[in-house]
Amino acid sequence: MSIFDSTTLKAAGIAQGPVAAAVETRAKIIEATQAAEDAVLSPRDPGAFPHDLRAALAARLATAGGEPALAERYLDKAGAMVALADPARDGVAEGFGTVVAFFDKAANRTRDIAAEDISSLQAEGIADADIVRLCELSAFMAYQLRVVAGLRLMKGEAA
Amino acid sequence: MSRIVHKFTRKVPHWQPRVTPVKLDEATEEQLDALQVTPSNTKVSEYVLTLAHDVESLKVRSPLFNAIMYDPGGMSRAERELGAIGASMVNRCIYCAAVHADRHAKLEKDTSVTDELFEKGEKADLSPRNRAIFDFARKLSESPVDAAPEDMARLRAAGLSDEEILDLILSAALFGWANRLMHVLGDPVRQEVPV
């Protein structure tokens, strides 16, 4: 696959010109970014978070982060979990209230996270391995969103 | 006894996980394999053992991290560290900020930039180039929509090439990732030595 077919470069609209030329010098990083996306969004062992739920949460952050083109790519894979992609919904009706509240805070108010946020997930019976999986998803999306936003600015477009 | 470190420092604290890390003697073959590709393969840290819970992510993130921070060409290593510090200060990841401020000071053989940043935050007195780099990293870290065309224009006015700007975007964004693991999954602590 060409790096220009990766989710990140497609969502940022990078195909040619000086920004594309700069990105080609870091092709290995773009390939590794796509590998990371695959590992975080559609892992072989999804734990408590199936692929459609992951895609819905990814779309949720991309929408909240002002990147509709990126959100669109994940919305397509959100299936039955698509309601969780709406940042205005708290996930309670879908049975994911605690997960969604934590996910949003880790992604968007990272500095405010405290030990109690983790212990409240544990109190809900969420396994430590699943807490790590949820953090990786929020963390990877924070990374990808910023790469897309930065590339778009480089290209000369406001986010 | 240990206490949680709340202030930015270059003295790297100990990282104490909030979840139970994978036990090395109980690790699966896939986890053992992923643990070998981390930068410090002689002693596996509690942090890496914590991330081994999600072994598929861990395995792909370590080479990505190394490529963004250390691959030759583009932006200098010290300036990539400045991108990492900007993100870590926004997210108040005391541990990441300490590790990367220490690296910045060692690479530059000078502590003045990180002293100034830790003392005055965004009001720090920096060279025009460092100012443009730090401000861009800070805004991109606050929210992906906070960085604006004027910030990009300041980077170019400060003399950064496209390759350097790309490396700055990548290093600041990468710490958006690292901070959400380090700061969320554990506490930076200092062991108290009884008098």
Side-chain angles (χ1 to χ4, degrees), chain A:
Chain A
M1 188 179 89
S2 154
I3 56 168
F4 296 105
D5 293 325
S6 66
T7 306
T8 306
L9 296 190
K10 281 277 185 197
I14 306 297
Q16 55 192 1
V19 179
V23 167
E24 276 189 305
T25 69
R26 294 295 188 213
K28 190 172 110 187
I29 291 172
I30 302 300
E31 285 162 10
T33 299
Q34 185 61 49
E37 179 191 312
D38 297 342
V40 174
L41 270 295
S42 42
R44 278 174 281 111
D45 177 6
F49 309 113
H51 295 176
D52 54 359
L53 173 59
R54 288 168 185 255
L57 292 174
R60 179 183 183 90
L61 285 195
T63 300
E67 289 295 341
L70 184 61
E72 203 60 47
R73 290 173 174 273
Y74 291 124
L75 268 178
D76 283 350
K77 299 173 185 160
M81 298 290 179
V82 71
L84 296 176
D86 178 357
R89 291 179 72 106
D90 62 10
V92 173
E94 292 80 14
F96 289 105
T98 308
V99 166
V100 166
F102 173 78
F103 185 76
D104 283 353
K105 188 173 180 182
N108 301 326
R109 289 183 292 131
T110 317
R111 76 188 84 162
D112 297 333
I113 289 273
E116 299 75 54
D117 292 297
I118 299 295
S119 53
S120 66
L121 290 174
Q122 290 166 327
E124 289 259 334
I126 297 172
D128 282 357
D130 288 323
I131 294 172
V132 175
R133 291 185 179 104
L134 198 55
C135 288
E136 287 279 11
L137 178 58
S138 134
F140 169 78
M141 284 307 300
Y143 162 76
Q144 188 177 45
L145 261 172
R146 284 162 177 78
V147 175
V148 171
L151 288 173
R152 191 190 302 290
L153 276 176
M154 265 186 96
K155 210 176 63 168
E157 280 178 27

Side-chain angles (χ1 to χ4, degrees), chain B residues 30-69:
Chain B
E30 191 181 12
Q31 285 169 331
L32 289 172
D33 179 49
L35 293 169
Q36 284 168 357
V37 299
T38 60
S40 54
N41 54 10
T42 50
K43 182 178 174 295
V44 184
S45 68
E46 283 188 297
Y47 175 62
V48 176
L49 287 169
T50 297
L51 299 186
H53 277 302
D54 186 349
V55 65
E56 292 172 66
S57 301
L58 174 63
K59 192 168 169 75
V60 293
R61 199 175 55 89
S62 299
L64 176 61
F65 184 99
N66 291 336
I68 290 176
M69 297 308 285

Side-chain angles (χ1 to χ4, degrees), chain B residues 10-31:
Chain B
R10 263 192 316 270
K11 194 177 160 206
V12 179
H14 174 70
W15 187 81
Q16 185 174 284
R18 292 169 175 167
V19 298
T20 307
V22 169
K23 291 183 182 66
L24 202 50
D25 55 2
E26 292 173 13
T28 64
E29 212 155 290
E30 191 181 12
Q31 285 169 331

Side-chain angles (χ1 to χ4, degrees), chain B residues 19-181:
Chain B
V19 298
T20 307
V22 169
K23 291 183 182 66
L24 202 50
D25 55 2
E26 292 173 13
T28 64
E29 212 155 290
E30 191 181 12
Q31 285 169 331
L32 289 172
D33 179 49
L35 293 169
Q36 284 168 357
V37 299
T38 60
S40 54
N41 54 10
T42 50
K43 182 178 174 295
V44 184
S45 68
E46 283 188 297
Y47 175 62
V48 176
L49 287 169
T50 297
L51 299 186
H53 277 302
D54 186 349
V55 65
E56 292 172 66
S57 301
L58 174 63
K59 192 168 169 75
V60 293
R61 199 175 55 89
S62 299
L64 176 61
F65 184 99
N66 291 336
I68 290 176
M69 297 308 285
Y70 309 126
D71 270 4
M75 192 178 231
S76 74
R77 279 190 55 190
E79 288 180 338
R80 294 184 215 183
E81 297 293 352
L82 194 54
I85 295 165
S88 303
M89 288 181 72
V90 165
N91 293 319
R92 288 206 70 81
C93 185
I94 303 291
Y95 186 90
C96 297
V99 168
H100 295 278
D102 182 55
R103 282 198 194 147
H104 182 276
K106 283 176 178 151
L107 286 163
E108 294 281 279
K109 297 185 176 58
D110 180 13
T111 60
S112 63
V113 170
T114 45
D115 282 342
E116 186 72 18
L117 280 170
F118 285 172
E119 193 183 326
K120 297 181 191 155
E122 59 186 85
K123 295 197 178 74
D125 186 13
L126 302 173
S127 71
R129 186 173 164 108
N130 279 346
R131 169 94 267 155
I133 291 171
F134 182 76
D135 281 351
F136 184 84
R138 182 171 61 77
K139 290 188 188 180
L140 193 64
S141 301
E142 282 285 357
S143 160
V145 294
D146 275 13
E150 304 85 79
D151 302 303
M152 185 58 62
R154 279 189 202 107
L155 291 174
R156 295 197 199 280
L160 275 80
S161 67
D162 277 347
E163 285 77 10
E164 288 175 318
I165 292 172
L166 175 62
D167 284 348
L168 173 60
I169 292 167
L170 289 168
S171 61
L174 178 68
F175 276 78
W177 188 342
N179 296 161
R180 282 170 181 79
L181 300 174

